[in-house]
Amino acid sequence: MANLIRSAKSINGWSDYELIAYNITVIAQSPQEFFRGNTTPPLDDIDPLLINSKIDAVDVADDIFQYFTHLDLATDGGGLESFIDDFARETLHILGYVERGLCLSTQFMIPLTICGEDTLATMDVCLVVRQPMVLLVLQQDKSIFDLSQRPEPQIIADAIAAYQYNNRRRKISGLPTLDAMTIPCIIMDGTRPTFYLVPVTQALSIAVVTGQYPETPTKVVRCVTSLGPRRSSGEGMKTLEYRRVAFQRFIAFKSLAKEYWQTFLV
């Protein structure tokens, strides 16, 4: 694998080839394993109408009606990228990801150095702190628009960019850089979330910067949100049963992700 050719591709050009070239594997985990048993957290802080109402309901509060509008557009709006980004951002907001001092940014661009050349990573949605530092990355699955687009390699490249960027911010603040950060990530396939924990080490970052093969493997873990093997893989949050499960997974991921980002906050 060390003999594979590596080049300064844009993140949109990252594919399974880059994962092999940089010794990265993705491991699927069950919800029980990924969320450490916290697969059905209570939804007590969420309006029951948001969970149990169909998206064409009109007898709901304005904020819920607005959310259902985003959900409808993300589901049946012709697959426009902006509709999915807007829906993802609203989902994170309504489920309490934006705490004091944090904000959600769309189309957030940060540098990524690959093979000695600077490129740009553009994140569809990310959670940032005021310093700023990237705490969580969300990308949509663009393979529905272009089959050459591979969401997993791209989200992993985004996580590497976040590691490089966050360490630069720490250095500017007079803090030591960190040898490792686990970047929480989400890929949205329409309205269907898949959750990732991407461990990025200094060794991996240096390998990407210099175009070298890292001897130590990087193991990314992934958890898909589904209703089970006998249900349609195309079901999304328009389906009430799927929406409840997705909300529970988002809530569980918020707690899990926070454990990781608190380790590298300035």
Side-chain angles (χ1 to χ4, degrees), residues 192-203:
R192 299 178 295 277
T194 297
F195 301 94
Y196 293 80
L197 294 173
V198 184
V200 184
T201 62
Q202 184 182 44

Side-chain angles (χ1 to χ4, degrees), residues 80-248:
L80 292 179
E81 294 183 32
S82 60
F83 289 155
I84 298 171
D85 289 348
D86 291 343
F87 170 72
R89 183 180 185 279
E90 289 301 311
T91 298
L92 295 178
H93 190 274
I94 206 165
L95 295 181
Y97 276 71
V98 184
E99 300 179 353
R100 186 180 179 90
L102 308 184
C103 69
L104 290 166
S105 180
T106 55
Q107 300 304 302
F108 188 73
M109 292 189 294
I110 59 175
L112 171 63
T113 305
I114 308 174
C115 298
E117 296 185 20
D118 290 332
T119 61
L120 281 178
T122 303
M123 301 170 183
D124 291 336
V125 182
C126 66
L127 186 68
V128 298
V129 70
R130 289 178 67 175
Q131 276 75 9
M133 294 178 69
V134 176
L135 308 184
L136 178 148
V137 179
L138 184 148
Q139 292 283 96
Q140 63 168 287
D141 183 348
K142 299 180 177 67
S143 63
I144 60 173
F145 311 109
D146 181 353
L147 291 177
S148 69
Q149 298 291 302
R150 301 287 294 164
E152 280 191 344
Q154 291 171 14
I155 199 80
I156 292 168
D158 282 335
I160 297 169
Y163 171 86
Q164 294 180 3
Y165 178 78
N166 289 347
N167 262 339
R168 279 192 290 270
R169 299 305 307 178
R170 289 180 61 87
K171 188 174 182 179
I172 290 170
S173 299
L175 296 173
T177 58
L178 298 179
D179 290 337
M181 299 179 197
T182 294
I183 308 297
C185 299
I186 304 170
I187 289 176
M188 294 296 294
D189 179 7
T191 64
R192 299 178 295 277
T194 297
F195 301 94
Y196 293 80
L197 294 173
V198 184
V200 184
T201 62
Q202 184 182 44
L204 174 60
S205 178
I206 290 173
V208 171
V209 169
T210 60
Q212 301 294 316
Y213 182 79
E215 291 299 327
T216 302
T218 296
K219 297 182 179 180
V220 176
V221 292
R222 170 189 69 205
C223 184
V224 176
T225 304
S226 73
L227 295 177
R230 298 186 178 182
R231 298 294 293 265
S232 169
S233 61
E235 286 184 294
M237 291 175 68
K238 191 174 182 179
T239 304
L240 293 177
E241 186 180 357
Y242 187 94
R243 191 188 311 160
R244 173 178 287 275
V245 171
F247 279 173
Q248 288 175 323

Side-chain angles (χ1 to χ4, degrees), residues 4-26:
L4 291 175
I5 297 172
R6 297 163 185 83
S7 60
K9 286 185 179 179
S10 70
I11 285 183
N12 287 341
W14 271 50
S15 67
D16 293 340
Y17 181 95
E18 276 66 41
L19 299 191
I20 296 170
Y22 292 112
N23 202 4
I24 301 169
T25 57
V26 180

Side-chain angles (χ1 to χ4, degrees), residues 30-39 197 256 259-260:
S30 68
Q32 187 74 15
E33 184 178 9
F34 186 89
F35 293 108
R36 305 172 189 169
N38 185 29
T39 58
L197 294 173
L256 184 61
E259 289 182 28
Y260 287 103

Side-chain angles (χ1 to χ4, degrees), residues 35-57:
F35 293 108
R36 305 172 189 169
N38 185 29
T39 58
T40 56
L43 301 177
D44 299 339
D45 294 333
I46 303 174
D47 191 316
L49 293 176
L50 190 66
I51 305 167
N52 301 316
S53 299
K54 294 183 178 181
I55 64 171
D56 57 359

